[in-house]
Amino acid sequence: MLTIRAARAGDLMQLIDMIALHAECHGEKARISAADLDRDLFGASPWVTALVAEAGGRLIGYALLVPMYRAVEGVRGMDLHQIFVREDHRGTGIGRHLVNRAREHARLSGCGYLSVGAATGNFAAHRFYERMSFKAGPVTGMRYVQALA
């Protein structure tokens, strides 16, 4: 039986494991710690929301959501920052369930839109999001980053 629910503190280690697997899929190495994730999910000022897919007492997928804002329109949004399903459960509809729950969470949070990004060459993700009724938008320039530490 599949359950999609909000993450709990007891989920941290399984989430860290899946975040590391997600990073590996993209040729990266995860540097997040349990303390980082605990702070950002459950701390005094939660920064992200995690939804998890659970079956048989094991987490098999997750979606991380981060608030956004379109100041010109005065519209709240939610970014589906990461979505991941363990390899042995892909193709079973878990990703669709996570996206649907993310939509519900965004609506209940007063958001007018849900956005998601995918790497240019990740055609499987493009097809998945298009099947989920996301519309591709133009890339309108560079995003610049400045380290604050």
Side-chain angles (χ1 to χ4, degrees):
M1 176 151 174
L2 177 69
T3 302
I4 307 291
R5 60 171 174 78
R8 299 187 286 249
D11 298 328
L12 285 175
M13 295 317 295
Q14 288 186 77
L15 275 167
I16 292 288
D17 178 55
M18 288 189 293
I19 290 169
L21 291 171
H22 181 271
E24 285 177 22
C25 288
H26 295 281
E28 299 174 12
K29 181 171 174 47
R31 295 183 305 266
I32 191 168
S33 70
D36 294 333
L37 191 57
D38 183 57
R39 174 199 63 214
D40 293 336
L41 287 175
F42 309 113
S45 297
W47 198 255
V48 298
T49 298
L51 302 173
V52 296
E54 181 179 37
R58 178 177 179 236
L59 298 189
I60 56 176
Y62 71 89
L64 291 180
L65 299 160
V66 181
M68 299 179 77
Y69 191 66
R70 290 185 185 158
V72 173
E73 301 166 11
V75 177
R76 289 178 177 187
M78 195 71 65
D79 181 53
L80 181 52
H81 176 66
Q82 282 187 357
I83 184 169
F84 176 82
V85 175
R86 290 186 187 272
E87 190 171 4
D88 57 334
H89 287 86
R90 291 181 191 154
T92 63
I94 294 166
R96 287 191 311 274
H97 289 297
L98 284 164
V99 169
N100 288 334
R101 185 59 60 89
R103 281 186 187 131
E104 179 183 331
H105 175 78
R107 281 188 194 112
L108 291 173
S109 297
C111 295
Y113 66 95
L114 180 66
S115 75
V116 65
T120 306
N122 192 345
F123 302 115
H126 301 175
R127 287 188 299 275
F128 172 76
Y129 296 129
E130 289 167 3
R131 283 194 307 270
M132 295 297 301
S133 300
F134 286 89
K135 303 293 180 223
V139 176
T140 57
M142 300 293 294
R143 177 165 297 278
Y144 294 88
V145 177
Q146 183 180 73
L148 300 175

mmCIF file of all heavy atoms in Angstrom, residues 99-141:
data_model
loop_
_atom_site.group_PDB
_atom_site.id
_atom_site.type_symbol
_atom_site.label_atom_id
_atom_site.label_comp_id
_atom_site.label_asym_id
_atom_site.label_seq_id
_atom_site.Cartn_x
_atom_site.Cartn_y
_atom_site.Cartn_z
ATOM 1 N N VAL A 99 3.585 14.341 -7.585
ATOM 2 C CA VAL A 99 3.247 15.616 -8.239
ATOM 3 C C VAL A 99 1.836 16.046 -7.866
ATOM 4 O O VAL A 99 1.594 17.226 -7.549
ATOM 5 C CB VAL A 99 3.419 15.524 -9.775
ATOM 6 C CG1 VAL A 99 2.818 16.754 -10.459
ATOM 7 C CG2 VAL A 99 4.888 15.383 -10.140
ATOM 8 N N ASN A 100 0.893 15.121 -7.865
ATOM 9 C CA ASN A 100 -0.480 15.478 -7.495
ATOM 10 C C ASN A 100 -0.560 16.003 -6.068
ATOM 11 O O ASN A 100 -1.255 16.982 -5.793
ATOM 12 C CB ASN A 100 -1.420 14.286 -7.695
ATOM 13 C CG ASN A 100 -1.676 14.003 -9.159
ATOM 14 O OD1 ASN A 100 -1.583 14.901 -10.003
ATOM 15 N ND2 ASN A 100 -1.985 12.759 -9.477
ATOM 16 N N ARG A 101 0.166 15.375 -5.151
ATOM 17 C CA ARG A 101 0.165 15.850 -3.769
ATOM 18 C C ARG A 101 0.870 17.198 -3.663
ATOM 19 O O ARG A 101 0.465 18.060 -2.890
ATOM 20 C CB ARG A 101 0.818 14.822 -2.858
ATOM 21 C CG ARG A 101 0.751 15.172 -1.377
ATOM 22 C CD ARG A 101 -0.698 15.341 -0.845
ATOM 23 N NE ARG A 101 -1.491 14.166 -0.984
ATOM 24 C CZ ARG A 101 -1.585 13.183 -0.094
ATOM 25 N NH1 ARG A 101 -0.910 13.241 1.021
ATOM 26 N NH2 ARG A 101 -2.351 12.145 -0.337
ATOM 27 N N ALA A 102 1.918 17.407 -4.461
ATOM 28 C CA ALA A 102 2.608 18.705 -4.491
ATOM 29 C C ALA A 102 1.650 19.795 -4.962
ATOM 30 O O ALA A 102 1.625 20.895 -4.401
ATOM 31 C CB ALA A 102 3.840 18.636 -5.389
ATOM 32 N N ARG A 103 0.855 19.507 -5.994
ATOM 33 C CA ARG A 103 -0.158 20.468 -6.462
ATOM 34 C C ARG A 103 -1.138 20.820 -5.342
ATOM 35 O O ARG A 103 -1.466 21.981 -5.134
ATOM 36 C CB ARG A 103 -0.957 19.879 -7.631
ATOM 37 C CG ARG A 103 -0.288 19.911 -8.935
ATOM 38 C CD ARG A 103 -1.271 19.422 -9.998
ATOM 39 N NE ARG A 103 -0.602 19.281 -11.260
ATOM 40 C CZ ARG A 103 -0.683 18.210 -12.038
ATOM 41 N NH1 ARG A 103 -1.411 17.178 -11.681
ATOM 42 N NH2 ARG A 103 -0.036 18.185 -13.173
ATOM 43 N N GLU A 104 -1.605 19.785 -4.671
ATOM 44 C CA GLU A 104 -2.554 19.989 -3.571
ATOM 45 C C GLU A 104 -1.927 20.852 -2.469
ATOM 46 O O GLU A 104 -2.560 21.781 -1.969
ATOM 47 C CB GLU A 104 -2.978 18.627 -3.026
ATOM 48 C CG GLU A 104 -3.944 18.684 -1.873
ATOM 49 C CD GLU A 104 -4.250 17.285 -1.346
ATOM 50 O OE1 GLU A 104 -4.206 16.310 -2.125
ATOM 51 O OE2 GLU A 104 -4.507 17.183 -0.133
ATOM 52 N N HIS A 105 -0.694 20.551 -2.109
ATOM 53 C CA HIS A 105 0.005 21.323 -1.077
ATOM 54 C C HIS A 105 0.147 22.781 -1.510
ATOM 55 O O HIS A 105 -0.090 23.699 -0.706
ATOM 56 C CB HIS A 105 1.378 20.712 -0.792
ATOM 57 C CG HIS A 105 2.194 21.525 0.157
ATOM 58 N ND1 HIS A 105 1.985 21.505 1.528
ATOM 59 C CD2 HIS A 105 3.191 22.420 -0.053
ATOM 60 C CE1 HIS A 105 2.819 22.340 2.101
ATOM 61 N NE2 HIS A 105 3.571 22.903 1.157
ATOM 62 N N ALA A 106 0.518 23.004 -2.759
ATOM 63 C CA ALA A 106 0.682 24.371 -3.266
ATOM 64 C C ALA A 106 -0.654 25.126 -3.228
ATOM 65 O O ALA A 106 -0.714 26.282 -2.793
ATOM 66 C CB ALA A 106 1.253 24.343 -4.681
ATOM 67 N N ARG A 107 -1.709 24.483 -3.678
ATOM 68 C CA ARG A 107 -3.036 25.133 -3.648
ATOM 69 C C ARG A 107 -3.435 25.495 -2.218
ATOM 70 O O ARG A 107 -3.902 26.606 -1.964
ATOM 71 C CB ARG A 107 -4.093 24.220 -4.257
ATOM 72 C CG ARG A 107 -4.094 24.203 -5.747
ATOM 73 C CD ARG A 107 -5.303 23.421 -6.290
ATOM 74 N NE ARG A 107 -5.106 23.139 -7.681
ATOM 75 C CZ ARG A 107 -4.898 21.923 -8.189
ATOM 76 N NH1 ARG A 107 -4.895 20.860 -7.403
ATOM 77 N NH2 ARG A 107 -4.712 21.761 -9.475
ATOM 78 N N LEU A 108 -3.257 24.561 -1.291
ATOM 79 C CA LEU A 108 -3.617 24.815 0.102
ATOM 80 C C LEU A 108 -2.754 25.899 0.731
ATOM 81 O O LEU A 108 -3.159 26.521 1.708
ATOM 82 C CB LEU A 108 -3.517 23.529 0.921
ATOM 83 C CG LEU A 108 -4.566 22.468 0.601
ATOM 84 C CD1 LEU A 108 -4.262 21.167 1.341
ATOM 85 C CD2 LEU A 108 -5.967 22.966 0.915
ATOM 86 N N SER A 109 -1.560 26.132 0.161
ATOM 87 C CA SER A 109 -0.663 27.180 0.644
ATOM 88 C C SER A 109 -0.955 28.526 -0.020
ATOM 89 O O SER A 109 -0.206 29.482 0.173
ATOM 90 C CB SER A 109 0.796 26.782 0.376
ATOM 91 O OG SER A 109 1.112 25.608 1.091
ATOM 92 N N GLY A 110 -2.011 28.591 -0.830
ATOM 93 C CA GLY A 110 -2.390 29.841 -1.476
ATOM 94 C C GLY A 110 -1.607 30.151 -2.738
ATOM 95 O O GLY A 110 -1.542 31.309 -3.157
ATOM 96 N N CYS A 111 -1.025 29.138 -3.347
ATOM 97 C CA CYS A 111 -0.213 29.353 -4.549
ATOM 98 C C CYS A 111 -1.069 29.340 -5.803
ATOM 99 O O CYS A 111 -2.039 28.592 -5.905
ATOM 100 C CB CYS A 111 0.861 28.273 -4.660
ATOM 101 S SG CYS A 111 2.070 28.332 -3.322
ATOM 102 N N GLY A 112 -0.638 30.144 -6.765
ATOM 103 C CA GLY A 112 -1.303 30.191 -8.053
ATOM 104 C C GLY A 112 -0.624 29.349 -9.107
ATOM 105 O O GLY A 112 -1.152 29.186 -10.201
ATOM 106 N N TYR A 113 0.563 28.822 -8.803
ATOM 107 C CA TYR A 113 1.270 27.993 -9.779
ATOM 108 C C TYR A 113 2.257 27.071 -9.090
ATOM 109 O O TYR A 113 2.678 27.305 -7.964
ATOM 110 C CB TYR A 113 1.991 28.851 -10.834
ATOM 111 C CG TYR A 113 3.121 29.695 -10.292
ATOM 112 C CD1 TYR A 113 4.442 29.247 -10.324
ATOM 113 C CD2 TYR A 113 2.879 30.942 -9.725
ATOM 114 C CE1 TYR A 113 5.476 30.017 -9.826
ATOM 115 C CE2 TYR A 113 3.906 31.722 -9.228
ATOM 116 C CZ TYR A 113 5.201 31.253 -9.278
ATOM 117 O OH TYR A 113 6.229 32.012 -8.774
ATOM 118 N N LEU A 114 2.582 25.998 -9.803
ATOM 119 C CA LEU A 114 3.610 25.046 -9.409
ATOM 120 C C LEU A 114 4.588 24.996 -10.562
ATOM 121 O O LEU A 114 4.186 24.833 -11.721
ATOM 122 C CB LEU A 114 3.003 23.663 -9.170
ATOM 123 C CG LEU A 114 3.938 22.536 -8.746
ATOM 124 C CD1 LEU A 114 4.529 22.803 -7.359
ATOM 125 C CD2 LEU A 114 3.192 21.202 -8.745
ATOM 126 N N SER A 115 5.872 25.173 -10.293
ATOM 127 C CA SER A 115 6.874 25.116 -11.365
ATOM 128 C C SER A 115 7.861 24.001 -11.073
ATOM 129 O O SER A 115 8.010 23.552 -9.940
ATOM 130 C CB SER A 115 7.603 26.457 -11.495
ATOM 131 O OG SER A 115 8.522 26.627 -10.454
ATOM 132 N N VAL A 116 8.525 23.572 -12.133
ATOM 133 C CA VAL A 116 9.540 22.535 -12.013
ATOM 134 C C VAL A 116 10.550 22.754 -13.133
ATOM 135 O O VAL A 116 10.197 23.235 -14.208
ATOM 136 C CB VAL A 116 8.918 21.114 -12.079
ATOM 137 C CG1 VAL A 116 8.293 20.830 -13.430
ATOM 138 C CG2 VAL A 116 9.922 20.050 -11.694
ATOM 139 N N GLY A 117 11.789 22.433 -12.860
ATOM 140 C CA GLY A 117 12.829 22.528 -13.875
ATOM 141 C C GLY A 117 13.387 21.146 -14.176
ATOM 142 O O GLY A 117 13.303 20.246 -13.356
ATOM 143 N N ALA A 118 13.941 21.012 -15.370
ATOM 144 C CA ALA A 118 14.599 19.764 -15.755
ATOM 145 C C ALA A 118 15.782 20.123 -16.632
ATOM 146 O O ALA A 118 15.715 21.072 -17.422
ATOM 147 C CB ALA A 118 13.627 18.852 -16.509
ATOM 148 N N ALA A 119 16.843 19.379 -16.504
ATOM 149 C CA ALA A 119 18.038 19.616 -17.311
ATOM 150 C C ALA A 119 17.693 19.540 -18.792
ATOM 151 O O ALA A 119 16.806 18.778 -19.206
ATOM 152 C CB ALA A 119 19.115 18.591 -16.960
ATOM 153 N N THR A 120 18.395 20.308 -19.580
ATOM 154 C CA THR A 120 18.129 20.409 -21.009
ATOM 155 C C THR A 120 18.051 19.048 -21.693
ATOM 156 O O THR A 120 17.161 18.804 -22.493
ATOM 157 C CB THR A 120 19.222 21.269 -21.688
ATOM 158 O OG1 THR A 120 19.299 22.514 -21.007
ATOM 159 C CG2 THR A 120 18.905 21.510 -23.143
ATOM 160 N N GLY A 121 18.953 18.154 -21.363
ATOM 161 C CA GLY A 121 18.985 16.854 -22.026
ATOM 162 C C GLY A 121 18.182 15.759 -21.351
ATOM 163 O O GLY A 121 18.203 14.609 -21.795
ATOM 164 N N ASN A 122 17.448 16.071 -20.299
ATOM 165 C CA ASN A 122 16.696 15.060 -19.561
ATOM 166 C C ASN A 122 15.315 14.884 -20.202
ATOM 167 O O ASN A 122 14.300 15.302 -19.670
ATOM 168 C CB ASN A 122 16.587 15.454 -18.087
ATOM 169 C CG ASN A 122 16.070 14.315 -17.232
ATOM 170 O OD1 ASN A 122 15.543 13.327 -17.734
ATOM 171 N ND2 ASN A 122 16.206 14.463 -15.925
ATOM 172 N N PHE A 123 15.308 14.231 -21.368
ATOM 173 C CA PHE A 123 14.080 14.116 -22.151
ATOM 174 C C PHE A 123 13.009 13.283 -21.464
ATOM 175 O O PHE A 123 11.820 13.541 -21.629
ATOM 176 C CB PHE A 123 14.398 13.565 -23.543
ATOM 177 C CG PHE A 123 15.393 14.431 -24.273
ATOM 178 C CD1 PHE A 123 16.645 13.943 -24.590
ATOM 179 C CD2 PHE A 123 15.087 15.745 -24.609
ATOM 180 C CE1 PHE A 123 17.574 14.739 -25.247
ATOM 181 C CE2 PHE A 123 16.006 16.544 -25.263
ATOM 182 C CZ PHE A 123 17.253 16.049 -25.583
ATOM 183 N N ALA A 124 13.407 12.301 -20.669
ATOM 184 C CA ALA A 124 12.417 11.502 -19.931
ATOM 185 C C ALA A 124 11.666 12.394 -18.941
ATOM 186 O O ALA A 124 10.441 12.294 -18.812
ATOM 187 C CB ALA A 124 13.095 10.343 -19.216
ATOM 188 N N ALA A 125 12.388 13.283 -18.263
ATOM 189 C CA ALA A 125 11.733 14.212 -17.333
ATOM 190 C C ALA A 125 10.831 15.170 -18.092
ATOM 191 O O ALA A 125 9.713 15.457 -17.652
ATOM 192 C CB ALA A 125 12.774 14.979 -16.524
ATOM 193 N N HIS A 126 11.282 15.662 -19.247
ATOM 194 C CA HIS A 126 10.451 16.570 -20.047
ATOM 195 C C HIS A 126 9.123 15.905 -20.387
ATOM 196 O O HIS A 126 8.051 16.507 -20.223
ATOM 197 C CB HIS A 126 11.157 16.963 -21.346
ATOM 198 C CG HIS A 126 12.470 17.646 -21.148
ATOM 199 N ND1 HIS A 126 13.281 17.974 -22.205
ATOM 200 C CD2 HIS A 126 13.140 18.045 -20.040
ATOM 201 C CE1 HIS A 126 14.378 18.555 -21.764
ATOM 202 N NE2 HIS A 126 14.319 18.595 -20.439
ATOM 203 N N ARG A 127 9.195 14.671 -20.880
ATOM 204 C CA ARG A 127 7.962 13.944 -21.241
ATOM 205 C C ARG A 127 7.078 13.727 -20.022
ATOM 206 O O ARG A 127 5.854 13.889 -20.098
ATOM 207 C CB ARG A 127 8.308 12.613 -21.904
ATOM 208 C CG ARG A 127 8.853 12.769 -23.321
ATOM 209 C CD ARG A 127 8.993 11.419 -24.029
ATOM 210 N NE ARG A 127 9.912 10.515 -23.355
ATOM 211 C CZ ARG A 127 11.240 10.502 -23.528
ATOM 212 N NH1 ARG A 127 11.799 11.359 -24.349
ATOM 213 N NH2 ARG A 127 11.991 9.638 -22.876
ATOM 214 N N PHE A 128 7.683 13.361 -18.890
ATOM 215 C CA PHE A 128 6.913 13.145 -17.661
ATOM 216 C C PHE A 128 6.158 14.412 -17.275
ATOM 217 O O PHE A 128 4.949 14.370 -17.025
ATOM 218 C CB PHE A 128 7.850 12.700 -16.525
ATOM 219 C CG PHE A 128 7.180 12.637 -15.181
ATOM 220 C CD1 PHE A 128 6.328 11.584 -14.873
ATOM 221 C CD2 PHE A 128 7.389 13.631 -14.235
ATOM 222 C CE1 PHE A 128 5.694 11.525 -13.626
ATOM 223 C CE2 PHE A 128 6.768 13.576 -13.001
ATOM 224 C CZ PHE A 128 5.920 12.515 -12.691
ATOM 225 N N TYR A 129 6.846 15.555 -17.221
ATOM 226 C CA TYR A 129 6.192 16.798 -16.811
ATOM 227 C C TYR A 129 5.134 17.231 -17.813
ATOM 228 O O TYR A 129 4.067 17.714 -17.423
ATOM 229 C CB TYR A 129 7.227 17.906 -16.585
ATOM 230 C CG TYR A 129 8.165 17.590 -15.438
ATOM 231 C CD1 TYR A 129 9.533 17.668 -15.587
ATOM 232 C CD2 TYR A 129 7.667 17.182 -14.205
ATOM 233 C CE1 TYR A 129 10.391 17.364 -14.543
ATOM 234 C CE2 TYR A 129 8.510 16.872 -13.151
ATOM 235 C CZ TYR A 129 9.866 16.963 -13.327
ATOM 236 O OH TYR A 129 10.705 16.654 -12.291
ATOM 237 N N GLU A 130 5.375 17.026 -19.093
ATOM 238 C CA GLU A 130 4.365 17.367 -20.097
ATOM 239 C C GLU A 130 3.130 16.486 -19.947
ATOM 240 O O GLU A 130 2.005 16.967 -20.068
ATOM 241 C CB GLU A 130 4.963 17.272 -21.500
ATOM 242 C CG GLU A 130 5.946 18.409 -21.755
ATOM 243 C CD GLU A 130 6.809 18.219 -22.997
ATOM 244 O OE1 GLU A 130 6.621 17.215 -23.734
ATOM 245 O OE2 GLU A 130 7.673 19.094 -23.221
ATOM 246 N N ARG A 131 3.314 15.197 -19.637
ATOM 247 C CA ARG A 131 2.169 14.311 -19.382
ATOM 248 C C ARG A 131 1.408 14.750 -18.136
ATOM 249 O O ARG A 131 0.212 14.490 -18.013
ATOM 250 C CB ARG A 131 2.628 12.858 -19.228
ATOM 251 C CG ARG A 131 2.947 12.182 -20.553
ATOM 252 C CD ARG A 131 3.079 10.668 -20.414
ATOM 253 N NE ARG A 131 4.010 10.235 -19.382
ATOM 254 C CZ ARG A 131 5.303 10.015 -19.541
ATOM 255 N NH1 ARG A 131 5.860 10.185 -20.721
ATOM 256 N NH2 ARG A 131 6.055 9.618 -18.534
ATOM 257 N N MET A 132 2.106 15.408 -17.205
ATOM 258 C CA MET A 132 1.469 15.892 -15.972
ATOM 259 C C MET A 132 0.887 17.299 -16.158
ATOM 260 O O MET A 132 0.564 17.973 -15.189
ATOM 261 C CB MET A 132 2.478 15.885 -14.823
ATOM 262 C CG MET A 132 2.978 14.516 -14.400
ATOM 263 S SD MET A 132 1.686 13.431 -13.743
ATOM 264 C CE MET A 132 1.060 14.357 -12.374
ATOM 265 N N SER A 133 0.781 17.756 -17.407
ATOM 266 C CA SER A 133 0.163 19.043 -17.787
ATOM 267 C C SER A 133 0.996 20.270 -17.455
ATOM 268 O O SER A 133 0.469 21.378 -17.407
ATOM 269 C CB SER A 133 -1.243 19.178 -17.187
ATOM 270 O OG SER A 133 -2.064 18.141 -17.648
ATOM 271 N N PHE A 134 2.300 20.107 -17.218
ATOM 272 C CA PHE A 134 3.183 21.268 -17.113
ATOM 273 C C PHE A 134 3.432 21.782 -18.523
ATOM 274 O O PHE A 134 3.485 20.996 -19.472
ATOM 275 C CB PHE A 134 4.525 20.894 -16.467
ATOM 276 C CG PHE A 134 4.459 20.662 -14.986
ATOM 277 C CD1 PHE A 134 4.172 19.407 -14.485
ATOM 278 C CD2 PHE A 134 4.706 21.694 -14.097
ATOM 279 C CE1 PHE A 134 4.120 19.181 -13.116
ATOM 280 C CE2 PHE A 134 4.662 21.485 -12.732
ATOM 281 C CZ PHE A 134 4.368 20.221 -12.238
ATOM 282 N N LYS A 135 3.570 23.075 -18.664
ATOM 283 C CA LYS A 135 3.872 23.701 -19.951
ATOM 284 C C LYS A 135 5.302 24.223 -19.914
ATOM 285 O O LYS A 135 5.689 24.911 -18.969
ATOM 286 C CB LYS A 135 2.916 24.864 -20.235
ATOM 287 C CG LYS A 135 1.451 24.477 -20.209
ATOM 288 C CD LYS A 135 1.107 23.558 -21.348
ATOM 289 C CE LYS A 135 -0.352 23.185 -21.314
ATOM 290 N NZ LYS A 135 -0.609 21.809 -21.561
ATOM 291 N N ALA A 136 6.054 23.917 -20.970
ATOM 292 C CA ALA A 136 7.436 24.402 -21.054
ATOM 293 C C ALA A 136 7.421 25.907 -21.254
ATOM 294 O O ALA A 136 6.605 26.442 -21.994
ATOM 295 C CB ALA A 136 8.167 23.717 -22.209
ATOM 296 N N GLY A 137 8.297 26.592 -20.561
ATOM 297 C CA GLY A 137 8.427 28.034 -20.701
ATOM 298 C C GLY A 137 9.787 28.372 -21.263
ATOM 299 O O GLY A 137 10.721 27.571 -21.180
ATOM 300 N N PRO A 138 9.910 29.550 -21.815
ATOM 301 C CA PRO A 138 11.208 29.933 -22.386
ATOM 302 C C PRO A 138 12.235 30.190 -21.293
ATOM 303 O O PRO A 138 11.903 30.619 -20.195
ATOM 304 C CB PRO A 138 10.891 31.225 -23.135
ATOM 305 C CG PRO A 138 9.711 31.788 -22.404
ATOM 306 C CD PRO A 138 8.920 30.604 -21.931
ATOM 307 N N VAL A 139 13.468 29.912 -21.609
ATOM 308 C CA VAL A 139 14.574 30.273 -20.734
ATOM 309 C C VAL A 139 14.949 31.698 -21.131
ATOM 310 O O VAL A 139 15.233 31.975 -22.282
ATOM 311 C CB VAL A 139 15.760 29.309 -20.906
ATOM 312 C CG1 VAL A 139 16.937 29.748 -20.061
ATOM 313 C CG2 VAL A 139 15.327 27.893 -20.558
ATOM 314 N N THR A 140 14.910 32.596 -20.170
ATOM 315 C CA THR A 140 15.021 34.015 -20.507
ATOM 316 C C THR A 140 16.306 34.661 -20.031
ATOM 317 O O THR A 140 16.319 35.848 -19.755
ATOM 318 C CB THR A 140 13.813 34.781 -19.939
ATOM 319 O OG1 THR A 140 13.771 34.559 -18.527
ATOM 320 C CG2 THR A 140 12.526 34.320 -20.572
ATOM 321 N N GLY A 141 17.358 33.905 -19.887
ATOM 322 C CA GLY A 141 18.613 34.523 -19.499
ATOM 323 C C GLY A 141 19.393 33.699 -18.511
ATOM 324 O O GLY A 141 19.061 32.570 -18.221
#
